Structures are given as structure tokens and as C-alpha cells.
Amino acid sequence: MQVFDNNMRRASRRASLRRGSISALPQKSAEIPWDIFERLFMPFLFCQAAAIVSSHLLHALNISNISTFAVFVWFALSTVGAVLFYHFVKVSAPGKGVLITGCDSPLAWYLAKKLDDLGFTVYAGFNTPIDDSDEAKILKEETSGRMKLLHVDVTSETSLLEAARYVSQHLPHGAEGLWALVHCAHWIALGELEWIPFAVLRKSLDLNLLGAARLTQIFLPLVRRAHGRVVFLTSGLNRVPSPVRGIQCATQAAVDCFAACLRQEMRTRGVDVSVVAAGEFAPGNGWLNETELRDQAKQMWNQLSSEQKKTYGEDYYEAAMTSVEKYSRQAADIQPTLRVLIDAVTRTFPMARYTPVTATEKLQIFLAEHLAPSLYESLYGEQKKFVY
């Protein structure tokens, strides 16, 4: 099988979860708070424009000879204070319910634990049946009585309807609906397009896009009643051409567009929609096992036709498939993504888009979006082949 799903390396993940607190998570480097910078960027531009207009008007009317710079500083200080206050206002957690899918993964697992610590009623959805999930048992042991564990298979209509009925029947006391729906269920399929069987492509679409869309449809009435929010976890690199990860980038880009349209539709309904476009750890990549990766790549190679094998060559194929092994050699840094997921749930005024990425990733994403394709490919193309 040529896919890398959330059941890999269960033993090592259980060990990671048993380490306990959020502070025990690996932290590679200091995080850059892109969300704050992005929220301040436009107000700063308006401050400059307002300062120019105001100072010229004061001079023209002979009211004051104050400089444009002084007016800008006054506007900037006032605006920054107001924006930061606006940015950091939080909701009250008690009496609010949050449904999180994909809690088999370390990121969603820690998110569920942290939100429970903050006082939310958390409905932790696991891809696998609860009785078969060690992660579910550990989560139940380490959280409060507010924690509810659910089997939420986003590809099963029956599972989704049962989850909706359970949540509606077990809302916090006094709650009119569900405060937040957080989509963390994710499935990774790797390989160049010609190598991946259609069944794998279909599963990728079913789980990463259609499952999230259907779950949102089912839960929107509950979220609307609470004037809550929907949060989608995607990849910031879906805007970066990435050979071997084409289907992953495609489904994540589709979720991005779906969320943008839903945001417009829900704006008048009092429902916020946020996208958390994470960086290179790409949910799932942090758990790749080198041995399993090689075994699965070998199985996919065996399924190729003789003509395909001759065209691509075994050396090229192996270089392509093992180019992602670097993600299995170190623990994924999920702290920045965890922080913004919590912000998207707890802030009174969440951002439409969060980008918890490194400075290098931010630069590559910017260049991929704004440079001509030929120029971008000259920078990140042939000379960087298989170094994504």
C-alpha cells in the first residue's frame, strides 16, 4: 500500500502522549507570530495614509504645523493598542463545546487536552473505534469529566450522523449549540500522479475534502445556534508546487477554497470560519517510519507496469519516494500550529487565516504566489529536486 496514514508508529506515538504536558512537546526554535503581524499590517498602512492627509489638512487650514511623522506615530500607537486589545480578547470557556476530528494524531490529541484544561467541553473524535484506540484511553485518563470520546469516521455518513446526534444530546448545560468544529482529520498520500492508483486518489479526496465538507454540513445548524466557528487545518505549502505530494497539495488547496467560500456564506449568520495553514510538519509527515515508508514505496513500485518502470527507472523512483524520509528522522514541531488552533477556538475575533510556518517557508510561499512560474522554478526547481 502506498499511503501513509494516521495509524503509523502507534507505539512511538503512545510514548509521546504519555510524556504528559504540552510543555513537553519538542520545540525547535522561537515561533514567529505571523498572525499578529498580519493583523497589524493593514492598520499600519492606513495610519501612514491618514497621517499624510491629516498633517496636510492641518497645514492648509493653518491649525497646526505638526509633522507628518509625529501624526503617524500618534496614529500608530493608538492603532496598535486597539488592534492588540481586539486581537487578544478571549471567550469564556465554561458552557462551550468543541468537536475535534482526527484525535488519533498527536496534534489533535494535544489540542483536545489543552482545550479541556481551559474549561471547554471537548468532543474528541477518533478515526478508529474508541475501544481499539490507546490514544483515546490515555486521553480519558488525563482529562476531566467534561471530555467526551467519539468514533468519528469522516468517510462514513452513519458515523457522522451518530456523532451529530450524540453531540446535540450532550451539549453543555445551557448551551444552545456547538461553539467550535475543528477539522484535524487528515490522510497523506505520497507519490507522483502516474504512480498512485485511483483508489488512493479517491480516498484522499473522500477523507481530506468530502469528509470535511459533509461533516461541516451536518454540524452547521448546531454551530449557527451558538454563533460559533469552524476551523480547518490545512497545509501552508498547498500553494507551493511539490512533486510527490501532488494529491496532498490538491486536497489541501481545495479545503482552503471551500473554507473561503463558507466564510462569505456564514458572515451574516454570525459564524466565523478560520483556516490554519500549517508548515512543513504537514499532519502525518511527522510520524513517517523509514522502514514502513520504504516497504510501502516498494509495494507501489511493484504495481507499476513494465513500461512505467523502464520510463522512470528505479533510481529516480527511489530518490523521489525517499525524499520525504527527512520528516521521519526528527519529531515534528507542532507547537506553533497548536497555539494558533487554540487561538482560533478561544479568541473572540479569530483571524480568517493563520500561517504557523517558518521564515523560510513563508518566503517560499510568497515567491510561489507572486513570482512568474519560470522564475520560481529556476529557484526551487531542478537544482532543488527532491529537497522539498
Side-chain angles (χ1 to χ4, degrees):
M1 189 76 173
Q2 57 280 52
V3 295
F4 308 93
D5 60 27
N6 289 339
N7 294 321
M8 285 185 176
R9 302 183 69 184
R10 295 178 63 85
S12 62
R13 288 163 54 194
R14 287 196 299 271
S16 173
L17 294 176
R18 286 193 181 280
R19 282 201 291 269
S21 68
I22 298 296
S23 60
L25 288 170
Q27 184 93 23
K28 297 177 186 175
S29 59
E31 178 192 355
I32 299 176
W34 298 112
D35 50 321
I36 298 177
F37 293 155
E38 289 164 0
R39 181 155 264 173
L40 287 172
F41 180 70
M42 289 305 296
F44 257 102
L45 290 183
F46 282 115
C47 284
Q48 177 64 20
I52 293 173
V53 173
S54 299
S55 62
H56 280 73
L57 185 62
L58 291 173
H59 292 170
L61 297 176
N62 291 321
I63 296 175
S64 173
N65 291 323
I66 190 171
S67 68
T68 300
F69 178 74
V71 176
F72 169 73
V73 170
W74 185 83
F75 276 140
L77 292 176
S78 303
T79 302
V80 167
V83 169
L84 290 179
F85 174 79
Y86 172 88
H87 181 76
F88 288 110
V89 175
K90 293 185 177 181
V91 301
S92 175
K96 290 183 171 62
V98 180
L99 172 63
I100 306 171
T101 64
C103 287
D104 309 77
S105 71
L107 176 63
W109 191 96
Y110 277 108
L111 176 63
K113 186 175 186 299
K114 182 60 176 176
L115 290 178
D116 177 77
D117 292 341
L118 292 175
F120 288 92
T121 297
V122 178
Y123 307 92
F126 289 82
N127 300 332
T128 56
I130 302 301
D131 295 338
D132 299 334
S133 173
D134 293 315
E135 290 88 350
K137 295 174 185 176
I138 299 170
L139 185 61
K140 191 65 176 177
E141 292 171 2
E142 299 189 3
T143 52
S144 72
R146 293 185 305 275
M147 178 64 67
K148 315 292 184 186
L149 305 183
L150 305 175
H151 175 215
V152 182
D153 178 0
V154 298
T155 63
S156 167
E157 180 80 1
T158 301
S159 177
L160 298 184
L161 293 175
E162 288 177 350
R165 183 173 65 250
Y166 178 88
V167 171
S168 63
Q169 293 175 350
H170 295 83
L171 289 171
H173 179 70
E176 295 183 2
L178 183 68
W179 171 249
L181 171 61
V182 185
H183 294 279
C184 289
H186 193 87
W187 194 70
I188 302 281
L190 301 176
E192 292 193 11
L193 181 61
E194 190 174 353
W195 307 340
I196 303 177
F198 181 69
V200 175
L201 297 179
R202 173 170 286 172
K203 181 174 180 181
S204 229
L205 288 169
D206 284 347
L207 203 152
N208 294 337
L209 174 61
L210 299 181
R214 181 57 181 144
L215 184 65
T216 303
Q217 278 185 323
I218 293 172
F219 275 92
L220 266 181
L222 278 177
V223 176
R224 270 195 293 102
R225 291 212 298 263
H227 297 291
R229 66 272 315 264
V230 182
V231 182
F232 295 89
L233 175 64
T234 69
S235 171
L237 302 182
N238 59 38
R239 302 184 180 186
V240 175
S242 301
V244 182
R245 295 188 298 185
I247 185 60
Q248 179 195 353
C249 292
T251 56
Q252 295 305 289
V255 171
D256 248 343
C257 293
F258 169 74
C261 295
L262 181 65
R263 184 180 306 114
Q264 297 293 324
E265 294 169 359
M266 289 291 106
R267 178 166 292 170
T268 58
R269 309 296 177 185
V271 175
D272 293 305
V273 179
S274 297
V275 169
V276 175
E280 188 60 89
F281 87 91
N285 284 358
W287 315 320
L288 290 180
N289 176 282
E290 289 185 48
T291 302
E292 291 171 322
L293 188 152
R294 288 180 178 275
D295 289 344
Q296 294 186 41
K298 193 175 298 183
Q299 291 176 27
M300 183 159 63
W301 171 259
N302 292 334
Q303 293 179 20
L304 298 180
S305 68
S306 299
E307 189 274 337
Q308 289 172 321
K309 291 179 180 178
K310 182 178 179 180
T311 299
Y312 287 98
E314 192 166 358
D315 290 341
Y316 177 91
Y317 178 86
E318 184 174 352
M321 294 307 298
T322 57
S323 64
V324 295
E325 283 187 359
K326 61 183 179 181
Y327 305 122
S328 66
R329 296 185 183 126
Q330 56 187 351
D333 182 16
I334 65 176
Q335 283 276 25
T337 305
L338 182 63
R339 180 190 69 80
V340 298
L341 282 169
I342 294 171
D343 278 5
V345 172
T346 61
R347 301 297 184 197
T348 302
F349 307 103
M351 294 189 63
R353 184 179 181 83
Y354 294 87
T355 54
V357 298
T358 65
T360 301
E361 292 166 345
K362 192 76 169 177
L363 175 62
Q364 185 174 2
I365 293 169
F366 178 83
L367 294 178
E369 291 180 323
H370 296 92
L371 286 185
S374 57
L375 182 55
Y376 172 81
E377 289 168 7
S378 69
L379 294 174
Y380 291 94
E382 289 300 318
Q383 75 236 40
K384 295 187 177 293
K385 201 167 200 175
F386 303 136
V387 185
Y388 308 128

